[in-house]
Amino acid sequence: MQSRLVSMEEGKDPSSTIAFRTTQSRALQLRFLQIFLLLLCLGLGFSIISMRMLRYFGVKKIALATTTTIFPCYHQEVNYVESWIRPPSKLWHTMNDSELLWRASFVPLRKEYPFKRVPKIAFMFLTKGPLPLAPLWERFLKGHEQHYSIYVHALPPYVSDFPESSVFYRRQIPSQVVEWGEMSMCDAERRLLANALLDISNEWFILLSEACIPLHNFSIIYHYISRSEYSFVGSFDDPGPYGRGRYNSEMQPVVTLEQWRKGAQWFEVNRRLAIVIIQDTMYHPKFKEFCKPACYVDEHYFPTMLSIEAPHLLANRTFTWTDWSRGGAHPATFEKNDITEDLFKRMSEGQLCLYNNQLSTVCYLFARKFAPSALEPLLEMASKVFGF
Ligand SMILES: *[C@@H]1O[C@H](CO)[C@@H](O)[C@H](O)[C@H]1NC(C)=O
Ligand SMILES: *[C@@H]1O[C@H](CO)[C@@H](O)[C@H](O)[C@H]1NC(C)=O
Ligand SMILES: *[C@@H]1O[C@H](CO)[C@@H](O)[C@H](O)[C@H]1NC(C)=O
């Protein structure tokens, strides 16, 4: 190369210059061929990788990823219905209560769903913090992932730390301080309902505490709730001092004495009643102002409001068993040594109630209150006594 260059510059040998030109154009052709082959390899490689990915992830996602990269605004349109059907991927959000309740009040009016909707039970745990009976719930729920979802409201700053394998993993909703017997308690219950309403597949909503346990296996409970024409909200007219005695006539005309109801805090409501509860802006301010201890608002607000707004949808009884037989302001708490088969016989024997207007011997699906020490004996007898 070097010698030819020298000869060209000197211009002494034309034949050698031609020879040089030919070599130069050959080198150029070779370079083009190299680049062409390189591009071909790259193209082939890309196609193979794309095909593999298509096979692996499905056509839709790749297509979506491609459209999103090319047309960022197009993504929303392609995905629009799906974003309403899919449950939120994360429970944590930055909406405050007014934003959350407003968002949760969006209601589809068409009775037909354009997809196969499998109705789910939302188990809503209103807790102070930890869930000591979680292992029992894990066993109860195992294998029924299609039919339930879980929501936990805990007192800040408590943050639950369940492992990824747990059904309670990242199921805590943005929570606020709650004072027992005050309106902040009903607000927490509405917060649970509103968060659970964001999943369009949730159809029944059950309020539970950390001291509650299930009394039957999942199939029986799902069947009992899904076949019921009524929601299990305790609601009755108590003429005594702890019933009508707590009524304040300032609530008129929104709530009259005849409309005043009492009921246990632990309820089950269907989607329609859940929306009645979270959309309410009329009863809430009255109860907040005129039902303060010794008027315990969690025993009156929902029972009264629902019996005015949707009486035909209420069973007027709760299905959570509580033992008030020991007397006093608080129900009995069962410890390790109280857990015997007899205790559960006592809950089910001799019970009669109405279920879809027929007499039934199955009246209770859940029970409370159980101390953390009760966990071990409960796990031991669960398969024999509860069937899970
Ligand atoms: C929520 O945020 C909006 C907008 O910042 C505000 O107007 C509203 O008062 C807030 N509501 C509550 C309950 O904090
Ligand atoms: C649930 O319990 C009932 C009655 O105890 C039983 O017949 C049924 O097989 C149980 N279901 C499952 C899935 O274990
Ligand atoms: C529950 O009570 C309401 C009155 O508050 C009544 O209209 C309704 O029929 C009752 N539900 C059942 C299942 O009896």
Side-chain angles (χ1 to χ4, degrees):
M1 219 27 172
Q2 197 61 32
S3 66
R4 283 197 189 117
L5 262 175
V6 170
S7 65
M8 185 190 75
E9 276 164 11
E10 284 166 357
K12 276 178 187 165
D13 187 353
S15 69
S16 91
T17 312
I18 291 164
F20 168 74
R21 290 230 171 107
T22 323
T23 336
Q24 199 186 32
S25 72
R26 280 228 183 99
L28 218 68
Q29 275 173 359
L30 208 69
R31 188 65 50 84
F32 272 127
L33 198 70
Q34 275 174 343
I35 291 169
F36 176 72
L37 278 174
L38 189 75
L39 283 174
L40 194 74
C41 285
L42 272 173
L44 263 170
F46 186 73
S47 314
I48 290 168
I49 290 169
S50 308
M51 265 148 72
R52 285 272 157 97
M53 270 168 75
L54 275 175
R55 212 170 293 161
Y56 192 75
F57 296 110
V59 179
K60 227 171 163 183
K61 276 191 187 161
I62 300 292
L64 256 179
T66 321
T67 37
T68 326
T69 351
I70 304 171
F71 318 104
C73 307
Y74 194 52
H75 183 193
Q76 279 276 316
E77 306 237 349
V78 169
N79 221 0
Y80 199 63
V81 170
E82 213 181 312
S83 71
W84 281 86
I85 296 172
R86 236 187 305 107
S89 57
K90 281 185 201 149
L91 289 194
W92 211 255
H93 55 72
T94 53
M95 285 183 280
N96 66 23
D97 275 359
S98 11
E99 292 164 335
L100 171 69
L101 293 171
W102 177 75
R103 169 65 187 87
S105 70
F106 291 12
V107 178
L109 294 179
R110 271 182 79 93
K111 295 265 177 337
E112 275 172 38
Y113 292 90
F115 61 100
K116 189 179 180 306
R117 179 176 183 258
V118 179
K120 294 193 286 188
I121 296 179
F123 294 97
M124 311 183 300
F125 291 86
L126 181 62
T127 74
K128 294 187 187 78
L131 286 162
L133 304 177
L136 189 73
W137 285 98
E138 303 258 5
R139 203 201 277 185
F140 164 76
L141 295 165
K142 199 172 180 197
H144 301 280
E145 287 68 28
Q146 300 293 310
H147 293 104
Y148 72 83
S149 35
I150 288 181
Y151 301 84
V152 179
H153 186 289
L155 297 188
Y158 183 84
V159 179
S160 66
D161 59 347
F162 285 95
E164 216 170 318
S165 57
S166 168
V167 300
F168 294 101
Y169 177 65
R170 292 196 179 160
R171 299 310 295 178
Q172 190 174 333
I173 62 161
S175 311
Q176 286 178 36
V177 173
V178 171
E179 275 164 293
W180 260 243
E182 309 252 358
M183 201 52 163
S184 56
M185 179 105 104
C186 297
D187 290 341
E189 293 170 15
R190 296 221 292 181
R191 208 170 291 129
L192 275 164
L193 283 170
N195 278 283
L197 279 166
L198 299 183
D199 181 346
I200 201 94
S201 295
N202 286 330
E203 183 59 33
W204 305 285
F205 304 79
I206 305 179
L207 184 69
L208 299 156
S209 80
E210 65 263 57
C212 287
I213 63 161
L215 293 175
H216 302 278
N217 65 28
F218 190 91
S219 335
I220 294 209
I221 286 182
Y222 187 86
H223 195 268
Y224 195 95
I225 293 171
S226 60
R227 304 280 169 103
S228 176
E229 291 167 32
Y230 307 104
S231 284
F232 297 90
V233 179
S235 176
F236 60 100
D237 183 5
D238 172 1
Y242 306 117
R244 287 198 180 203
R246 292 174 180 174
Y247 173 75
N248 184 334
S249 56
E250 297 278 350
M251 285 187 174
Q252 276 174 329
V254 172
V255 180
T256 65
L257 181 63
E258 292 69 37
Q259 291 172 323
W260 184 253
R261 292 289 182 280
K262 181 177 176 168
Q265 179 187 6
W266 312 100
F267 61 76
E268 179 267 333
V269 290
N270 66 10
R271 206 171 171 90
R272 240 184 98 186
L273 294 178
I275 287 160
V276 171
I277 291 174
I278 60 107
Q279 78 178 49
D280 171 43
T281 51
M282 182 168 75
Y283 302 95
H284 188 276
K286 295 287 172 203
F287 278 87
K288 187 172 179 166
E289 188 172 355
F290 300 117
C291 181
K292 291 176 173 166
C295 174
Y296 298 101
V297 71
D298 54 278
E299 293 180 2
H300 300 281
Y301 173 36
F302 298 158
T304 302
M305 173 177 66
L306 293 178
S307 75
I308 298 171
E309 293 293 324
H312 58 291
L313 294 180
L314 305 182
N316 301 320
R317 67 177 176 91
T318 178
F319 56 31
T320 304
W321 187 88
T322 310
D323 184 10
W324 292 99
S325 69
R326 295 182 191 179
H330 295 285
T333 299
F334 299 102
E335 312 263 350
K336 184 174 188 157
N337 294 329
D338 301 314
I339 309 303
T340 59
E341 285 184 35
D342 270 358
L343 173 67
F344 299 103
K345 273 204 190 116
R346 189 152 71 83
M347 285 181 201
S348 56
E349 261 175 15
Q351 300 284 355
L352 269 185
C353 52
L354 283 179
Y355 178 75
N356 288 345
N357 305 313
Q358 310 256 310
L359 280 177
S360 167
T361 54
V362 181
C363 303
Y364 296 106
L365 303 187
F366 303 93
R368 57 191 289 272
K369 300 169 67 174
F370 292 86
S373 70
L375 177 66
E376 209 189 299
L378 283 171
L379 282 172
E380 268 169 36
M381 64 171 65
S383 72
K384 186 175 176 207
V385 177
F386 310 135
F388 64 83

